[in-house]
Amino acid sequence: MVYTEAFISAVKAIWAHKMRSFLTMLGIIIGIFSVTALISVAQGTTASVTSSIESMGSNLLTINIMDRRTSLDAKDIEAISELEGVGMVSPYVQSTYTLRSSISTMEDISTYGVNADYTKIVEYTLATGRELTDEDSDKRMRVAVLGSEVATELYNTADAAIGQEISIGGTRFTVVGVLESEGTSSSGNEDEMILIPFSTAQRMMKNTDISSIYASATSSDTVELAQENIEDYLYQVSGSEDNYMVFNQSEVLESLEGVTGTLTMMLGGIAAISLLVGGIGIMNIMLVSVTERTREIGIQKAIGATRKDILTQFLIEAILVSGLGGLLGLGLAYVSTGPLGSVLDMTVEIESWVVIVSIGFSLAVGIVFGIYPAIRASKLNPIDALRYE
Amino acid sequence: MKKEEAKVIIDIRNMYKIYEMGSEEVHALDGVNLQIREHEFVAIIGPSGSGKSTLMNMIGCLDTPTSGEYILDGISIENYTENELAHIRNVKIGFIFQQFNLFRRLTALENVEMPAKYNRVPVEERRARAVEALKMVGLGERIYHRPTELSGGQQQRVAIARSLVNKPPILLADEPTGNLDSKSGEEIMKMMHQLHSEGNTIILITHDNDIAEEADRVVRIFDGRIHEDKQKGAK
Ligand SMILES: Nc1ncnc2c1ncn2[C@@H]1O[C@H](COP(=O)(O)OP(=O)(O)O)[C@@H](O)[C@H]1O
Ligand SMILES: [Mg+2]
C-alpha cells in the first residue's frame, strides 16, 4: 500500500516536469533500443547462418588439402568412400565464369565441378530435369545443373532452361537440370551458382589436383567415426597432420557460434555504454531534483517522514523514469524489427530473454543511478532543509 | 484543574546551540532552562534573532543542541533513533510555520493527509480524518483547492488542519500570524484558543506583545537567554 502510493506520487512528480522527465528518459530509451536492436540483429545473423549450415546436412564432412604436394586422385576418392562410416564422397573445384544464354548474361557466377553424389551430400533438391551422373563425369560431358536464380535469369523459368544451351566462360554446355531455391548461406547465394561434372571442370579450370572434398557420413552417429577414418587415411597419404583439415558440421557451427557470440557481446557492450550514459543522465536530474525540493523534503521530515519514506520516494521516481524509458526503448525496438529485417534481408526477432534482460537492465540502471540522489535526499537534516530557500 | 499538577511534558535543561561563523561564535541558545506542562498555553516572545526559532526547532526535534538535555515526555531525546524522532514529529508534535509550508502541487485535502500517510493510517480513515480537520478549521468547502487558490489566512488554516490530523498533544506555532493581515491573524489566534481549550499543549512563538499576552504564560527570550517567565495573573 505504501509503495502504491509512493508510485502514484512519483507518477505525479514525473508528470509535473513532463519535458524534463522525457529528456531524461531519452537516454534510457536510446540505450535500451540500441541494446535490444543490436542483440536481435546479431541473433538474427546467427540464426540465418546456422540454419543454412544445418540445411546442408548434419552428416556433412568437409575435407581440405592444404599441402600442394599432396595430390589426391580418383582412386583416393574411391578409397575414402570405402572407409567405414563414410557414405558418399564428392571432390569439388570451384571457379567463377560469365554465363550466357540466348536471352541474358550473368557475370562472376560460382561454378562448381562436382560428381554425381554432391547434390545428395549437401542435400540440394532438384526442381526439374535430372542430376549429374557418374557417366557425365566419366565422359567429361558438357552438361550443367543450374541454381534457381541462374535459371530464371537466363531462361525466365526453370522448365524453359532444360535442354537449352548455356555458355560457361565461352564453352558451350547443355542445361540438364535446375535446383530448388536454397537461399543464402555462409558460402554465398546458393541459388546463384551452377554445377558441372567434376572431370569437365578440372579440364576447364586446368586444375588436376583434388584439394577440396565433401563427404557424408552414413548416419549422424557415424560422423565422428567417418571423420577419424578419413583423417587416418589422409595422414597415411600425406604424411603429416598439417597437410589436411577435416571438419564436421557441428565443429563449423561451434566455431561460428563462437564468432557470433563474440559479435553479440560486442554489439551489446557498445550499446550498454549508451545505457550507462542514460543512467548518468538520470542521476544528474535526480540530484537537481533533490536540490530543488530541499525545502519540500524539510517540510516532509518536519511532519513525520522517515528517511526510508524519502528514500523510497526518490528511488521509485528514478526507477519509474528508467523503467518507462526501457519500455519505450523496447517498444521502439519492436517497431523497428520489421524495417531492420527487410533492410538487412533477414528475420530480426526480439527473443524473450532479450526483453527480460532489457527491462531488468533499465530497472537496474534506475536503482544504481537513483540510489545516490535518494540517499542524499533522505539524509538531509530537517532543519537545514527547512531553512533552504 | 490546577496547572501545577499537570505532568511536565517538555523539559529543557541548560541547553546551548552554538553556530561557528568563521572565527566568531553565535550563541543562538545560551543556557536555556524551560519546563512546560501538559495543557499549557505558552508564548515565547523576543526580538528577531533572539533564538526563538532555534528553541522551537529544538522542542520540535528538528534540530539537535550543541549541549544540554531535552527530555520529552520523560525520555531524553538523545536516546531516540532517527526513525523514532521522525515518529515523534509525526504523532506528538504538530508544526505550524510562519510561511505555512504547504505543498503547492497538492490539494488542501492531500496536504492535510500527509502526516497521516507517514503514520501509515489506511487511506479511507486518513481521508475521513483530513476532511474532519479541514471542517474544523472552517475549510470544509475548499478541500480540493490548492494553496495558490487560497488566501494567506486560509492557507494557514490548512496548515493548522495538517498539524492536527494525527491528533498530537503538542502544537508548535512559529509566528503563525506573522504573514497575515490582522483580521486573519485574529481568526488564527481564536483557533489557537479553541485548540487549547480542547486540551492541546500550545507553544506559540511571536515577536508581537499583544499576541503574547493572549497566552497563559509568557516566556521572554533575548540573545539566546530566558529573561522572564511569567504566569498570567501571577504578576
Ligand atoms: N544555521 C545557522 N547558522 C548560523 N547562524 C544561525 C543559524 N540559524 C540561526 N542562526 C543564528 O542564531 C540566532 C537565532 O536565530 P533564530 O532562532 O532564527 O532567531 P529568531 O527566530 O528569534 O528570529 C540568530 O543570530 C541567527 O543568525
Ligand atoms: Mg524566527
PDB file of all heavy atoms in Angstrom, chain A residues 318-345:
ATOM      1  N   ALA A 318      13.173   7.516  -9.710  1.00  0.00           N
ATOM      2  CA  ALA A 318      14.264   7.199 -10.641  1.00  0.00           C
ATOM      3  C   ALA A 318      13.985   5.897 -11.384  1.00  0.00           C
ATOM      4  O   ALA A 318      14.176   5.797 -12.600  1.00  0.00           O
ATOM      5  CB  ALA A 318      15.585   7.085  -9.880  1.00  0.00           C
ATOM      6  N   ILE A 319      13.491   4.897 -10.647  1.00  0.00           N
ATOM      7  CA  ILE A 319      13.219   3.601 -11.277  1.00  0.00           C
ATOM      8  C   ILE A 319      12.102   3.754 -12.304  1.00  0.00           C
ATOM      9  O   ILE A 319      12.133   3.158 -13.379  1.00  0.00           O
ATOM     10  CB  ILE A 319      12.852   2.553 -10.210  1.00  0.00           C
ATOM     11  CG1 ILE A 319      14.061   2.264  -9.334  1.00  0.00           C
ATOM     12  CG2 ILE A 319      12.350   1.276 -10.868  1.00  0.00           C
ATOM     13  CD1 ILE A 319      13.761   1.382  -8.145  1.00  0.00           C
ATOM     14  N   LEU A 320      11.121   4.562 -11.956  1.00  0.00           N
ATOM     15  CA  LEU A 320       9.996   4.765 -12.868  1.00  0.00           C
ATOM     16  C   LEU A 320      10.464   5.430 -14.159  1.00  0.00           C
ATOM     17  O   LEU A 320      10.074   5.017 -15.255  1.00  0.00           O
ATOM     18  CB  LEU A 320       8.948   5.638 -12.181  1.00  0.00           C
ATOM     19  CG  LEU A 320       7.546   5.533 -12.751  1.00  0.00           C
ATOM     20  CD1 LEU A 320       6.996   4.136 -12.549  1.00  0.00           C
ATOM     21  CD2 LEU A 320       6.638   6.554 -12.089  1.00  0.00           C
ATOM     22  N   VAL A 321      11.296   6.457 -14.014  1.00  0.00           N
ATOM     23  CA  VAL A 321      11.801   7.144 -15.215  1.00  0.00           C
ATOM     24  C   VAL A 321      12.574   6.160 -16.093  1.00  0.00           C
ATOM     25  O   VAL A 321      12.328   6.065 -17.300  1.00  0.00           O
ATOM     26  CB  VAL A 321      12.709   8.335 -14.837  1.00  0.00           C
ATOM     27  CG1 VAL A 321      13.497   8.818 -16.045  1.00  0.00           C
ATOM     28  CG2 VAL A 321      11.876   9.473 -14.275  1.00  0.00           C
ATOM     29  N   SER A 322      13.466   5.370 -15.473  1.00  0.00           N
ATOM     30  CA  SER A 322      14.288   4.493 -16.308  1.00  0.00           C
ATOM     31  C   SER A 322      13.488   3.294 -16.791  1.00  0.00           C
ATOM     32  O   SER A 322      13.668   2.840 -17.922  1.00  0.00           O
ATOM     33  CB  SER A 322      15.542   4.050 -15.560  1.00  0.00           C
ATOM     34  OG  SER A 322      15.189   3.232 -14.488  1.00  0.00           O
ATOM     35  N   GLY A 323      12.572   2.794 -15.953  1.00  0.00           N
ATOM     36  CA  GLY A 323      11.741   1.669 -16.368  1.00  0.00           C
ATOM     37  C   GLY A 323      10.863   2.041 -17.545  1.00  0.00           C
ATOM     38  O   GLY A 323      10.726   1.305 -18.524  1.00  0.00           O
ATOM     39  N   LEU A 324      10.263   3.223 -17.451  1.00  0.00           N
ATOM     40  CA  LEU A 324       9.410   3.718 -18.530  1.00  0.00           C
ATOM     41  C   LEU A 324      10.235   3.932 -19.789  1.00  0.00           C
ATOM     42  O   LEU A 324       9.819   3.579 -20.893  1.00  0.00           O
ATOM     43  CB  LEU A 324       8.789   5.036 -18.085  1.00  0.00           C
ATOM     44  CG  LEU A 324       7.340   5.292 -18.468  1.00  0.00           C
ATOM     45  CD1 LEU A 324       6.452   4.189 -17.932  1.00  0.00           C
ATOM     46  CD2 LEU A 324       6.883   6.638 -17.928  1.00  0.00           C
ATOM     47  N   GLY A 325      11.437   4.500 -19.599  1.00  0.00           N
ATOM     48  CA  GLY A 325      12.340   4.687 -20.731  1.00  0.00           C
ATOM     49  C   GLY A 325      12.679   3.345 -21.362  1.00  0.00           C
ATOM     50  O   GLY A 325      12.700   3.212 -22.587  1.00  0.00           O
ATOM     51  N   GLY A 326      12.898   2.331 -20.522  1.00  0.00           N
ATOM     52  CA  GLY A 326      13.201   0.993 -21.015  1.00  0.00           C
ATOM     53  C   GLY A 326      12.062   0.428 -21.841  1.00  0.00           C
ATOM     54  O   GLY A 326      12.263  -0.116 -22.925  1.00  0.00           O
ATOM     55  N   LEU A 327      10.829   0.597 -21.329  1.00  0.00           N
ATOM     56  CA  LEU A 327       9.663   0.090 -22.056  1.00  0.00           C
ATOM     57  C   LEU A 327       9.519   0.789 -23.401  1.00  0.00           C
ATOM     58  O   LEU A 327       9.261   0.153 -24.420  1.00  0.00           O
ATOM     59  CB  LEU A 327       8.386   0.305 -21.231  1.00  0.00           C
ATOM     60  CG  LEU A 327       8.144  -0.704 -20.116  1.00  0.00           C
ATOM     61  CD1 LEU A 327       6.841  -0.389 -19.388  1.00  0.00           C
ATOM     62  CD2 LEU A 327       8.077  -2.130 -20.679  1.00  0.00           C
ATOM     63  N   LEU A 328       9.702   2.114 -23.391  1.00  0.00           N
ATOM     64  CA  LEU A 328       9.592   2.860 -24.649  1.00  0.00           C
ATOM     65  C   LEU A 328      10.674   2.428 -25.632  1.00  0.00           C
ATOM     66  O   LEU A 328      10.407   2.256 -26.825  1.00  0.00           O
ATOM     67  CB  LEU A 328       9.677   4.364 -24.386  1.00  0.00           C
ATOM     68  CG  LEU A 328       8.456   4.972 -23.700  1.00  0.00           C
ATOM     69  CD1 LEU A 328       8.702   6.442 -23.362  1.00  0.00           C
ATOM     70  CD2 LEU A 328       7.224   4.841 -24.577  1.00  0.00           C
ATOM     71  N   GLY A 329      11.904   2.231 -25.113  1.00  0.00           N
ATOM     72  CA  GLY A 329      13.006   1.788 -25.970  1.00  0.00           C
ATOM     73  C   GLY A 329      12.715   0.422 -26.570  1.00  0.00           C
ATOM     74  O   GLY A 329      12.956   0.171 -27.751  1.00  0.00           O
ATOM     75  N   LEU A 330      12.133  -0.443 -25.738  1.00  0.00           N
ATOM     76  CA  LEU A 330      11.786  -1.786 -26.186  1.00  0.00           C
ATOM     77  C   LEU A 330      10.699  -1.708 -27.263  1.00  0.00           C
ATOM     78  O   LEU A 330      10.757  -2.399 -28.288  1.00  0.00           O
ATOM     79  CB  LEU A 330      11.273  -2.581 -24.981  1.00  0.00           C
ATOM     80  CG  LEU A 330      11.410  -4.085 -25.019  1.00  0.00           C
ATOM     81  CD1 LEU A 330      12.859  -4.483 -25.214  1.00  0.00           C
ATOM     82  CD2 LEU A 330      10.881  -4.663 -23.720  1.00  0.00           C
ATOM     83  N   GLY A 331       9.721  -0.839 -27.012  1.00  0.00           N
ATOM     84  CA  GLY A 331       8.646  -0.650 -27.988  1.00  0.00           C
ATOM     85  C   GLY A 331       9.217  -0.183 -29.319  1.00  0.00           C
ATOM     86  O   GLY A 331       8.858  -0.695 -30.384  1.00  0.00           O
ATOM     87  N   LEU A 332      10.135   0.753 -29.226  1.00  0.00           N
ATOM     88  CA  LEU A 332      10.781   1.291 -30.432  1.00  0.00           C
ATOM     89  C   LEU A 332      11.524   0.170 -31.169  1.00  0.00           C
ATOM     90  O   LEU A 332      11.463   0.066 -32.403  1.00  0.00           O
ATOM     91  CB  LEU A 332      11.764   2.384 -30.004  1.00  0.00           C
ATOM     92  CG  LEU A 332      12.141   3.433 -31.041  1.00  0.00           C
ATOM     93  CD1 LEU A 332      10.904   4.199 -31.465  1.00  0.00           C
ATOM     94  CD2 LEU A 332      13.166   4.392 -30.445  1.00  0.00           C
ATOM     95  N   ALA A 333      12.209  -0.677 -30.382  1.00  0.00           N
ATOM     96  CA  ALA A 333      12.947  -1.791 -30.994  1.00  0.00           C
ATOM     97  C   ALA A 333      11.972  -2.739 -31.699  1.00  0.00           C
ATOM     98  O   ALA A 333      12.230  -3.201 -32.808  1.00  0.00           O
ATOM     99  CB  ALA A 333      13.745  -2.538 -29.936  1.00  0.00           C
ATOM    100  N   TYR A 334      10.816  -2.999 -31.051  1.00  0.00           N
ATOM    101  CA  TYR A 334       9.813  -3.872 -31.651  1.00  0.00           C
ATOM    102  C   TYR A 334       9.340  -3.319 -32.985  1.00  0.00           C
ATOM    103  O   TYR A 334       9.261  -4.021 -33.990  1.00  0.00           O
ATOM    104  CB  TYR A 334       8.595  -4.006 -30.716  1.00  0.00           C
ATOM    105  CG  TYR A 334       8.552  -5.338 -30.023  1.00  0.00           C
ATOM    106  CD1 TYR A 334       8.764  -5.442 -28.661  1.00  0.00           C
ATOM    107  CD2 TYR A 334       8.319  -6.508 -30.750  1.00  0.00           C
ATOM    108  CE1 TYR A 334       8.754  -6.662 -28.024  1.00  0.00           C
ATOM    109  CE2 TYR A 334       8.307  -7.733 -30.130  1.00  0.00           C
ATOM    110  CZ  TYR A 334       8.525  -7.805 -28.757  1.00  0.00           C
ATOM    111  OH  TYR A 334       8.536  -9.014 -28.132  1.00  0.00           O
ATOM    112  N   VAL A 335       9.024  -2.027 -32.959  1.00  0.00           N
ATOM    113  CA  VAL A 335       8.508  -1.391 -34.162  1.00  0.00           C
ATOM    114  C   VAL A 335       9.547  -1.437 -35.278  1.00  0.00           C
ATOM    115  O   VAL A 335       9.220  -1.556 -36.455  1.00  0.00           O
ATOM    116  CB  VAL A 335       8.117   0.070 -33.849  1.00  0.00           C
ATOM    117  CG1 VAL A 335       7.742   0.810 -35.114  1.00  0.00           C
ATOM    118  CG2 VAL A 335       6.969   0.104 -32.854  1.00  0.00           C
ATOM    119  N   SER A 336      10.816  -1.373 -34.893  1.00  0.00           N
ATOM    120  CA  SER A 336      11.848  -1.273 -35.927  1.00  0.00           C
ATOM    121  C   SER A 336      12.327  -2.630 -36.436  1.00  0.00           C
ATOM    122  O   SER A 336      13.100  -2.683 -37.385  1.00  0.00           O
ATOM    123  CB  SER A 336      13.042  -0.475 -35.403  1.00  0.00           C
ATOM    124  OG  SER A 336      13.641  -1.205 -34.373  1.00  0.00           O
ATOM    125  N   THR A 337      11.902  -3.738 -35.806  1.00  0.00           N
ATOM    126  CA  THR A 337      12.399  -5.040 -36.276  1.00  0.00           C
ATOM    127  C   THR A 337      11.993  -5.303 -37.719  1.00  0.00           C
ATOM    128  O   THR A 337      12.780  -5.841 -38.497  1.00  0.00           O
ATOM    129  CB  THR A 337      11.901  -6.217 -35.409  1.00  0.00           C
ATOM    130  OG1 THR A 337      10.509  -6.068 -35.221  1.00  0.00           O
ATOM    131  CG2 THR A 337      12.614  -6.266 -34.090  1.00  0.00           C
ATOM    132  N   GLY A 338      10.771  -4.911 -38.071  1.00  0.00           N
ATOM    133  CA  GLY A 338      10.293  -5.124 -39.447  1.00  0.00           C
ATOM    134  C   GLY A 338      11.209  -4.444 -40.456  1.00  0.00           C
ATOM    135  O   GLY A 338      11.849  -5.104 -41.277  1.00  0.00           O
ATOM    136  N   PRO A 339      11.303  -3.083 -40.379  1.00  0.00           N
ATOM    137  CA  PRO A 339      12.172  -2.350 -41.308  1.00  0.00           C
ATOM    138  C   PRO A 339      13.623  -2.840 -41.271  1.00  0.00           C
ATOM    139  O   PRO A 339      14.238  -3.042 -42.315  1.00  0.00           O
ATOM    140  CB  PRO A 339      12.100  -0.917 -40.799  1.00  0.00           C
ATOM    141  CG  PRO A 339      10.826  -0.831 -40.053  1.00  0.00           C
ATOM    142  CD  PRO A 339      10.531  -2.184 -39.520  1.00  0.00           C
ATOM    143  N   LEU A 340      14.142  -3.101 -40.061  1.00  0.00           N
ATOM    144  CA  LEU A 340      15.523  -3.573 -39.933  1.00  0.00           C
ATOM    145  C   LEU A 340      15.699  -4.891 -40.672  1.00  0.00           C
ATOM    146  O   LEU A 340      16.669  -5.087 -41.401  1.00  0.00           O
ATOM    147  CB  LEU A 340      15.855  -3.788 -38.455  1.00  0.00           C
ATOM    148  CG  LEU A 340      16.666  -2.713 -37.755  1.00  0.00           C
ATOM    149  CD1 LEU A 340      16.890  -3.109 -36.300  1.00  0.00           C
ATOM    150  CD2 LEU A 340      17.998  -2.516 -38.452  1.00  0.00           C
ATOM    151  N   GLY A 341      14.733  -5.791 -40.481  1.00  0.00           N
ATOM    152  CA  GLY A 341      14.797  -7.104 -41.115  1.00  0.00           C
ATOM    153  C   GLY A 341      14.813  -6.987 -42.625  1.00  0.00           C
ATOM    154  O   GLY A 341      15.585  -7.663 -43.302  1.00  0.00           O
ATOM    155  N   SER A 342      13.960  -6.086 -43.156  1.00  0.00           N
ATOM    156  CA  SER A 342      13.904  -6.018 -44.615  1.00  0.00           C
ATOM    157  C   SER A 342      15.145  -5.332 -45.175  1.00  0.00           C
ATOM    158  O   SER A 342      15.633  -5.693 -46.238  1.00  0.00           O
ATOM    159  CB  SER A 342      12.619  -5.325 -45.085  1.00  0.00           C
ATOM    160  OG  SER A 342      12.525  -4.048 -44.542  1.00  0.00           O
ATOM    161  N   VAL A 343      15.691  -4.352 -44.432  1.00  0.00           N
ATOM    162  CA  VAL A 343      16.924  -3.712 -44.903  1.00  0.00           C
ATOM    163  C   VAL A 343      18.079  -4.719 -44.894  1.00  0.00           C
ATOM    164  O   VAL A 343      18.863  -4.797 -45.834  1.00  0.00           O
ATOM    165  CB  VAL A 343      17.282  -2.486 -44.020  1.00  0.00           C
ATOM    166  CG1 VAL A 343      18.701  -2.037 -44.292  1.00  0.00           C
ATOM    167  CG2 VAL A 343      16.296  -1.348 -44.261  1.00  0.00           C
ATOM    168  N   LEU A 344      18.170  -5.514 -43.832  1.00  0.00           N
ATOM    169  CA  LEU A 344      19.288  -6.453 -43.690  1.00  0.00           C
ATOM    170  C   LEU A 344      18.996  -7.798 -44.346  1.00  0.00           C
ATOM    171  O   LEU A 344      19.831  -8.693 -44.343  1.00  0.00           O
ATOM    172  CB  LEU A 344      19.608  -6.659 -42.209  1.00  0.00           C
ATOM    173  CG  LEU A 344      20.023  -5.393 -41.458  1.00  0.00           C
ATOM    174  CD1 LEU A 344      20.122  -5.667 -39.963  1.00  0.00           C
ATOM    175  CD2 LEU A 344      21.366  -4.886 -41.987  1.00  0.00           C
ATOM    176  N   ASP A 345      17.775  -7.944 -44.866  1.00  0.00           N
ATOM    177  CA  ASP A 345      17.383  -9.165 -45.546  1.00  0.00           C
ATOM    178  C   ASP A 345      17.523 -10.387 -44.635  1.00  0.00           C
ATOM    179  O   ASP A 345      18.175 -11.361 -44.968  1.00  0.00           O
ATOM    180  CB  ASP A 345      18.221  -9.344 -46.828  1.00  0.00           C
ATOM    181  CG  ASP A 345      17.609 -10.416 -47.721  1.00  0.00           C
ATOM    182  OD1 ASP A 345      16.407 -10.696 -47.539  1.00  0.00           O
ATOM    183  OD2 ASP A 345      18.334 -10.958 -48.575  1.00  0.00           O
TER     184      ASP A 345
END
